[in-house]
Amino acid sequence: MDDLTLRIRDLNLRFKSLFSDTAVLHGISLHIRRGERVALVGESGSGKSVTARIVLGTLQELKTSRISGTVEVMGRDLKKMTEKERYALRGRDISMIFQDPTSSLNPVFRIAELFHEVLKRRDPGISAAAARARAAQMLAQVSIHEPERALDSYAFQLSGGMNQRIMIAMALANEPALLLADEPGTALDVTVQAQTLELMREMVERNATSVLFISHNLGVVREFADRVYVIYKGRIVEHGTTEALFADPRHPYTRALMAAVPRLTGGGIPDVPEVSESFFDPMITHEGLREPEPTR
Amino acid sequence: MPPALRAVLGKLITTLIVLFGVSILIFCIARIIPGDPVRIALGPNASQDMVDALRAQMHLDAPLVTQYVYFLRDVLHGDFGMSLYSKRPVIADIAQFLPATLELMIVAGIIMVGVGLPMGILAARTRDRWPDHLVRVITLLGVSAPGFVWAVVLMLIFAYFVPIFPIAGRISNSFQIPQVTGFMLVDTLLAGNLAAFADAFRHIILPACALAVTGIGQSARLTRANMVETYRKPYAEMAQSYGFPAGRIARRYVFKPSLIPSLTVIGLDFASMLGGAFLVESVFAWPGLSRYGVNVILVKDLNGIVGTVLVIAATFLIMNIIVDLLVWWLNPRFRLGGRS
Ligand SMILES: Nc1ncnc2c1ncn2[C@@H]1O[C@H](COP(=O)(O)OP(=O)(O)O)[C@@H](O)[C@H]1O
Ligand SMILES: [Mg+2]
């Protein structure tokens, strides 16, 4: 089975400083195959973003982080790679989309300049003109009708939806194998978020890009993902196909999450007010699913 | 009218109002401080008639308001009166001494920015590791003593114990350079005299460094602080996630946005060199406006005092406007407007 884009096995994370030692991830395992869209769902603070940062290799560089377990990207163990090799993955094999597109785009550089820098990750010698042509082509793919105007703008001159399209185009411009989408577009209004997610889905389907889709919005997850992992306080509590999980949520935490009424503001974040002992029940894996064995 | 142009125009008008206020203030102060300038100028042997005549000629017997109106009329014609100290028009004195001070400040400013900002960038990029700690210790030293202390220290080390730089003045006496701009580094080049240029350069290095030390420390610390703040912004995380090279992230994607808030303060640091120059010029016998200013105050040369203070105030305000323009130019949000 060599079509594994991402495989995480028994990942533990602690933050250790002089005065504190906080465990954040307690042995999570997950995998994504080529072209699969896998969601990681859980409330705020459950450890979704840190997981993405470990896959990206940036958290490893933080002095306070203590990481154990294996993370394999396309069969290569991150721990066996040098910092330089991990760096080489970023922006080429792995790219990322963020919560708020407008604040994720540098305010003192034009879109064209940022796009040029992104494209240099794949092709270091690319000229500004060639980068511009490629960028315009990518922007057309995300249905931006006046790519030239967008390229000559700064992010603050464009709408949030426009910036999100630009972000998607940038993320996919180098044809990465894995896209990390950390609550993409949560800062946008609901209809714009839905439109841009639809666009993102078309793009990743076309390129068979694997996606780790991080969200705390179940409605969005249901629309977008093939498979779902539910995370609660640094533990995976339930794993199933989207269909199975929504038809038959089994873990008490998943049920509480689905029963909770999404707030209207803030992109439909469910509130799970009471904390129950049963939320710490053992993990439930739906039929037919299991974590794959190590590559070697 | 575009908002940016309106802002600059508003700034210009404020500047003129401030200058007007400063002129009234310094005009009165110069006349209120004790001592008779005419008596000092003519010396103890002059007769009372001579003193009275000169006083009448300078309108010093008229009421203060009348005096000010005469003064304002002359200033608007570019005439700051005669200096009792040099016996020349004040404007000629200023034209002679101001370029020396400006030249010193500009070189010090270049050193401040050229050393301070890279140090700040290095510190921010390596924060909490040894280069950062080193920069912080050095800059703390820099800001802990005023410029004239550094002037004495640098002079002792590099002009006295290890005499590699000249100890005083702008240029060696052996060179005769015609004054064109008043900037020695420029005039020597205009004269095509490279040896003289090198000599002038060697003369300006120590005083400029002394004047720059505090600013280097402050601009490095400020740059570091603002960059550390900017590193937490989502767009900095984006740059890291996409694997932009760390050096380029620091120098371009983090430094540039963080420079915008730093710039106003760095501009003020630069302007405050005008004050620091007073003492540094004294230490290095630098023939600049500061030394002239001290001398005219000592002999209560009314026109000299008022002229010097007004020119210093104007220089300060003009630098303020330049900084505003720079901020405006650096920040596309100001330049273009747009969604907030
Ligand atoms: N650099 C860090 N140092 C210490 N604690 C951190 C750090 N980054 C994240 N955490 C903690 O790890 C937990 C998980 O954070 P995160 O992954 O951002 O949550 P989320 O699921 O909302 O994305 C939180 O409790 C957060 O406080
Ligand atoms: Mg998060």
Side-chain angles (χ1 to χ4, degrees), chain B residues 21-42:
Chain B
V22 168
S23 76
I24 296 181
L25 206 67
I26 190 61
F27 186 85
C28 295
I29 289 175
R31 277 157 180 75
I32 287 165
I33 50 174
D36 181 346
V38 176
R39 176 54 79 185
I40 297 174
L42 295 181

Side-chain angles (χ1 to χ4, degrees), chain B residues 108-297:
Chain B
I110 292 171
I111 295 173
M112 168 175 102
V113 169
V115 177
L117 299 193
M119 274 170 85
I121 295 174
L122 176 71
R125 207 187 132 175
T126 61
R127 62 193 168 287
D128 298 328
R129 286 186 274 143
W130 69 264
D132 180 26
H133 297 311
L134 188 68
V135 167
R136 285 160 85 177
V137 170
I138 293 174
T139 54
L140 189 65
L141 257 174
V143 297
S144 61
F148 69 89
V149 172
W150 292 113
V152 174
V153 170
L154 289 180
M155 180 189 249
L156 278 177
I157 298 177
F158 294 108
Y160 185 76
F161 292 122
V162 192
I164 44 181
F165 290 111
I167 205 156
R170 293 178 84 186
I171 194 161
S172 302
N173 288 331
S174 49
F175 294 105
Q176 292 300 322
I177 303 297
Q179 179 168 348
V180 183
T181 61
F183 291 85
M184 198 58 89
L185 293 175
V186 178
D187 287 351
T188 50
L189 284 183
L190 286 180
N193 192 336
L194 285 183
F197 175 79
D199 185 71
F201 191 74
R202 275 162 36 81
H203 274 83
I204 205 169
I205 281 295
L206 283 188
C209 283
L211 194 55
V213 171
T214 315
I216 289 175
Q218 267 161 0
S219 58
R221 294 169 83 78
L222 185 72
T223 301
R224 180 194 181 278
N226 280 333
M227 278 183 68
V228 166
E229 186 77 24
T230 307
Y231 264 113
R232 298 202 187 99
K233 296 274 168 68
Y235 57 80
E237 201 198 333
M238 181 270 182
Q240 275 157 342
S241 306
Y242 277 74
F244 294 1
R248 273 177 80 76
I249 295 181
R251 287 189 308 270
R252 269 169 78 85
Y253 299 104
V254 171
F255 172 68
K256 199 174 164 195
S258 77
L259 183 61
I260 293 166
S262 307
L263 204 61
T264 318
V265 181
I266 292 174
L268 276 179
D269 279 346
F270 180 64
S272 72
M273 282 182 184
L274 211 48
F278 261 75
L279 290 157
V280 171
E281 285 187 4
S282 306
V283 173
F284 283 97
W286 189 263
L289 191 65
S290 311
R291 232 177 41 162
Y292 176 74
V294 172
N295 288 333
V296 292
I297 288 172

Side-chain angles (χ1 to χ4, degrees), chain A residues 15 24 42-51 53 59 62 64 182-183 214:
Chain A
F15 287 107
V24 172
E43 61 196 282
S44 176
S46 53
K48 307 183 297 294
S49 296
V50 289
T51 305
R53 288 205 187 97
L59 208 55
L62 199 70
T64 55
D182 192 350
E183 318 208 1
I214 292 172

Side-chain angles (χ1 to χ4, degrees), chain B residues 5-33:
Chain B
L5 192 64
R6 193 160 55 219
V8 171
L9 249 147
K11 196 86 186 178
L12 265 175
I13 292 169
T14 329
T15 301
L16 286 176
I17 294 172
V18 170
L19 268 183
F20 182 66
V22 168
S23 76
I24 296 181
L25 206 67
I26 190 61
F27 186 85
C28 295
I29 289 175
R31 277 157 180 75
I32 287 165
I33 50 174

